[in-house]
């Protein structure tokens, strides 16, 4: 795989609130979490206090393997430093928005196996980017 | 309870400007309102309901109602992005059908081009939505969010850039006859696919124009419509639906039209085969392809084939669409194209479209709006209308 310097990520710290603090705290330890519903058994993303499928408040965070596949992506090219936005479908089910990094933007494909690659924001959190597995 | 036959579109107006330097946003709203009233043959004091969305400055529509000196029995500022104004026609028809008003005004206006020049940018506000931290850092833009939908559609159904390009080609064939259109040159499939990629797989010519201006619509009760001289346009049915990321069960190959379309067709009592003309929201070429599938003009995944070979060109293909040139070539005022979709459909039903693009015997037409982002969350609105006096 050819590495391109322009696939380095731009890091913007996320906004954190009471509902999402456990998720972002875990990112600092290199852990990717989704929310699991103890009533209907479905996992969801982004994490909410109430399950968006059955409205149960019996939800908890679940640590993910960090592995997934590209659902879709788009490289923004008409700019000085192109970037690849993507949705990645996690092994645990939910599909999440991310950026693809450490990759050749001209050799990405839908269905490709990827893994989480956290990048420190310098503010006690890390962004869950993904790279080819 | 239904809106079928209970409300009429009596007035329309599209602002001729595409660059509104020297005009304010409230002024543009008032100018389009005045234009639509004159078209209908009504006066400001006939208006008893006002509908607007996030492009109007102030608290809902109240500040703008004050600017225009309106005294109202009903006000509604439903905000679903560019589709808002299609929903407003539905809401106005509902209010008329239940006796809550008789003459409803809908306006859209904005000046993104002039604002960019003046370096002012005022956007509808509100608190940060819950998903913000999970999306903002990854730099979603309008183009890459539609690009991701197009990439997935291509992956699942084999849709090609050339097929998407046909949507722009058809729009350009219509825009050549519109003296107000931003882009009037007829383009080819090659022109589109050879224009630079903005965000995969969308080229510059897959994207709509940026323009200033606006438009207005007057919806009235049958007893008011009876007194007016303009050709009648009857509301037959409407549907609306939001679509979002569904807790992470993401499917970007369809739009909210999958739900708003069937509701509108059921209420109208017609099928896609009855539609002689369709205004389809065209923020990007992919928006049209997915919407046509979802509305049932062709099977899911067949949209690329359906739009090819000029099938959307008036006088050439089976489904004439966006005969004003649409958002792709004519006008996307305030980055919102919903109102111009309704306006061109009304022109077609009145027989007042440009003679080169007028659909013969155009008795039933559809207008569809898609607000927000095909790649995450959107508001969809479908409206079906027929020619006919009250
Ligand atoms: Zn649940």
């Amino acid at each position: 795989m050819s590495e391109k310097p322009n696939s380095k990520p731009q890091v913007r710290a996320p906004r954190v609130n009471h509902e999402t603090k456990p998720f972002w705290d875990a990112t600092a330890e290199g852990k990717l979490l989704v929310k699991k519903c103890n009533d209907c058994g479905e996992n969801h993303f982004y994490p909410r206090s109430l399950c968006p499928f059955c409205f149960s408040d019996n939800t908890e965070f679940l640590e993910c393997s960090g592995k997934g596949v590209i659902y879709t992506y788009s490289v923004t090219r008409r700019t000085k430093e192109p970037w690849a936005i993507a949705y990645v479908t996690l092994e645990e089910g939910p599909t999440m928005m991310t950026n693809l990094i450490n990759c050749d933007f001209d050799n990405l494909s839908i269905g490709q196996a990827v893994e989480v690659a956290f990048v420190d924001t310098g503010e006690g959190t890390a962004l869950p980017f993904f790279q080819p597995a | 309870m239904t809106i079928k036959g209970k409300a009429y579109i009596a007035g329309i107006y599209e602002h001729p400007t595409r660059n509104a330097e020297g005009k304010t946003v409230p002024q543009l709203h008032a100018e389009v309102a005045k234009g639509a009233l004159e078209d209908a043959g009504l006066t400001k004091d006939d208006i008893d309901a006002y509908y607007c969305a996030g492009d109007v400055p102030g608290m809902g529509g109240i500040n703008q109602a004050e600017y225009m000196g309106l005294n109202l029995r009903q006000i509604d500022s439903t905000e679903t992005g560019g589709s808002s104004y299609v929903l407003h026609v539905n809401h106005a028809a509902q209010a008329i059908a239940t006796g809550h008003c008789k003459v409803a005004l809908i306006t859209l206006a904005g000046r993104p081009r002039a604002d960019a020049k003046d370096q002012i940018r005022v956007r509808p506000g509100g608190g940060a939505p819950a998903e913000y931290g999970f999306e903002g850092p990854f730099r979603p833009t309008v183009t890459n969010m539609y690009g991701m939908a197009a990439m997935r559609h291509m992956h699942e159904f084999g849709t090609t850039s050339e097929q998407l390009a046909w949507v722009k080609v058809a729009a350009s064939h219509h825009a050549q006859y519109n003296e107000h259109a931003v882009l009037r040159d007829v383009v080819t499939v090659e022109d589109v696919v050879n224009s630079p990629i903005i965000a995969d797989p969308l080229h510059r010519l897959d994207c709509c124009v940026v323009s200033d201006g606006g438009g207005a619509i007057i919806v009235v009760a049958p007893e008011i419509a009876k007194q007016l001289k303009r050709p009648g346009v009857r509301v037959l049915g409407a549907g609306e639906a939001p679509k979002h990321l569904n807790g992470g069960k993401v499917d970007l190959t369809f739009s909210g039209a999958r739900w708003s379309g069937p509701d509108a067709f059921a209420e109208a009592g017609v099928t896609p085969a009855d539609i002689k003309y369709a205004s389809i929201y065209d923020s990007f070429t992919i928006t049209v392809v997915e919407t046509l599938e979802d509305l049932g003009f062709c099977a899911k995944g067949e949209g690329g084939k359906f739009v090819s070979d000029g099938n959307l060109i008036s006088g050439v293909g089976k489904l004439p669409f966006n005969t004003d040139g649409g958002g792709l070539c004519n006008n996307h005022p305030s980055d919102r194209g919903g109102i111009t979709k309704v306006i061109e459909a009304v022109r077609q039903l009145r027989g007042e479209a440009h003679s080169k693009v007028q659909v013969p015997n155009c008795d039933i037409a559809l207008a569809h709006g898609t607000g927000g982002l095909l790649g995450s969350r959107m508001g969809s609105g479908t409206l079906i209308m027929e020619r006919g006096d009250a």
Side-chain angles (χ1 to χ4, degrees):
Chain A
M1 191 187 69
S2 63
E3 298 275 339
K4 280 196 174 177
N6 67 2
S7 69
K8 266 189 286 177
Q10 190 183 98
V11 179
R12 295 180 184 181
R15 292 193 200 184
V16 178
N17 62 30
H18 292 299
E19 269 184 295
T20 63
K21 192 169 185 302
F23 175 92
W24 292 111
D25 285 349
T27 62
E29 297 164 25
K31 291 177 186 166
L32 180 65
L33 308 183
V34 296
K35 213 63 186 293
K36 171 180 176 239
C37 175
N38 290 321
D39 280 338
C40 74
E42 294 268 13
N43 299 332
H44 72 261
F45 193 87
Y46 58 90
R48 289 152 239 202
S49 301
L50 275 69
C51 170
F53 303 115
C54 75
F55 231 34
S56 165
D57 58 6
N58 185 9
T59 60
E60 64 182 15
F61 282 97
L62 170 75
E63 187 178 343
C64 296
S65 67
K67 294 187 193 312
V69 296
I70 298 174
Y71 170 77
T72 189
Y73 69 96
S74 175
V75 180
T76 300
R77 296 186 185 270
R78 291 289 283 180
T79 175
K80 250 185 231 155
E81 291 187 35
W83 75 97
I85 193 168
Y87 282 108
V88 164
T89 303
L90 303 173
E91 276 188 345
E92 291 76 14
T95 297
M96 62 180 283
M97 190 183 290
T98 187
N99 286 162
L100 301 172
I101 62 167
N102 302 327
C103 59
D104 177 354
F105 288 159
D106 294 327
N107 279 303
L108 294 168
S109 61
I110 290 174
Q112 185 178 348
V114 289
E115 63 189 16
V116 72
F118 283 104
V119 177
D120 193 347
T121 65
E123 295 184 20
T125 56
L127 289 177
F129 296 113
F130 281 76
Q131 63 189 13
Chain B
M1 194 75 199
T2 173
I3 59 171
K4 187 175 182 177
K6 304 260 177 69
Y8 286 76
I9 297 180
I12 53 169
Y13 182 74
E14 181 178 4
H15 206 296
T17 192
R18 299 293 179 269
N19 191 341
E21 282 171 55
K23 287 184 189 288
T24 68
V25 173
Q27 176 187 4
L28 288 166
H29 279 276
E31 287 178 358
V32 296
K34 189 172 160 60
L37 284 167
E38 284 171 2
D39 179 59
L42 291 164
T43 71
K44 182 176 77 64
D45 294 337
D46 293 317
I47 297 169
D48 60 359
Y50 178 49
Y51 297 74
C52 62
D55 51 286
V56 88
M59 179 176 63
I62 294 173
N63 308 60
Q64 188 63 35
E66 178 179 26
Y67 182 102
M68 298 191 288
L70 301 180
N71 295 302
L72 305 167
R73 295 171 63 205
Q74 176 122 151
I75 191 159
D76 175 335
S77 52
T78 296
E79 166 63 19
T80 59
S83 61
S84 305
Y85 321 91
V86 181
L87 275 66
H88 293 161
V89 175
N90 184 21
H91 298 177
Q94 290 170 7
I96 290 167
T98 52
H100 287 276
C101 65
K102 286 185 188 308
V103 178
L105 166 70
I106 304 164
T107 66
L108 156 89
R111 29 168 283 158
R113 280 170 108 174
D115 284 353
K117 212 166 178 181
D118 294 350
Q119 309 239 311
I120 55 169
R121 188 80 178 163
V122 183
R123 271 291 181 191
E131 79 285 353
Y132 187 86
F134 299 95
E135 297 184 7
F138 305 116
R139 292 186 282 166
T141 67
V142 177
T143 313
N144 67 29
M145 292 299 285
Y146 279 82
M148 286 202 288
M151 289 291 277
R152 186 70 197 186
H153 199 276
M154 289 172 156
H155 174 77
E156 287 196 28
F157 305 117
T159 309
T160 66
S161 287
E162 286 73 16
Q163 290 174 335
L164 294 182
W166 270 109
V167 178
K168 177 73 161 199
V169 171
S172 78
H173 273 265
H174 300 146
Q176 65 178 313
Y177 304 112
N178 182 348
E179 60 174 319
H180 302 299
V182 172
L183 302 176
R184 294 189 67 191
D185 290 342
V186 172
V187 300
T188 64
V189 168
E190 290 68 34
D191 290 335
V192 179
V193 299
N194 290 329
S195 65
I197 294 260
I198 306 297
D200 296 334
L202 300 174
H203 307 80
R204 169 163 288 157
L205 294 187
D206 285 300
C207 310
C208 66
V209 301
V210 175
S211 57
D212 298 351
I217 302 167
I218 309 278
V219 188
V220 303
E223 62 267 32
I224 305 285
K226 237 175 243 165
Q227 303 162 15
L228 301 175
K229 297 195 179 78
R230 307 289 280 131
V233 171
R234 189 182 296 134
V235 173
L236 282 188
E240 52 190 76
K243 179 179 181 256
H244 48 64
L245 292 175
N246 192 23
K249 295 180 194 289
V250 175
D251 188 341
L252 303 187
T253 63
F254 71 95
S255 77
R258 173 175 285 191
W259 302 307
S260 67
D263 273 4
F265 281 112
E267 184 168 38
V270 302
T271 70
D274 298 314
I275 304 296
K276 303 282 174 42
Y277 164 82
S279 282
I280 305 292
Y281 203 97
D282 56 344
S283 43
F284 295 87
T285 52
I286 182 64
T287 321
V288 175
V289 169
E290 288 200 8
T291 303
L292 288 171
E293 295 170 349
D294 296 329
L295 291 175
F297 287 104
C298 61
K300 180 48 69 182
E302 299 288 317
K305 258 181 236 160
F306 184 84
V307 302
S308 292
D309 305 320
N311 201 35
L312 302 178
I313 301 175
S314 186
V316 175
K318 281 202 196 104
L319 184 69
F321 100 126
N322 300 5
T323 41
D324 59 340
L328 287 168
C329 295
N330 169 36
N331 196 9
H332 196 235
S334 197
D335 302 328
R336 289 154 173 258
I339 211 154
T340 49
K341 294 289 161 287
V342 178
I343 289 172
E344 183 66 5
V346 171
R347 290 190 191 114
Q348 281 286 354
L349 291 167
R350 287 175 169 182
E352 293 178 352
H354 191 283
S355 60
K356 296 282 193 183
V357 297
Q358 175 66 48
V359 175
N361 190 31
C362 187
D363 56 349
I364 302 184
L366 175 149
H368 182 85
T370 307
L373 301 167
L374 206 52
S376 58
R377 50 196 68 80
M378 72 191 79
S380 291
T382 311
L383 177 67
I384 299 171
M385 298 155 279
E386 82 175 328
R387 186 177 63 197
D389 292 318

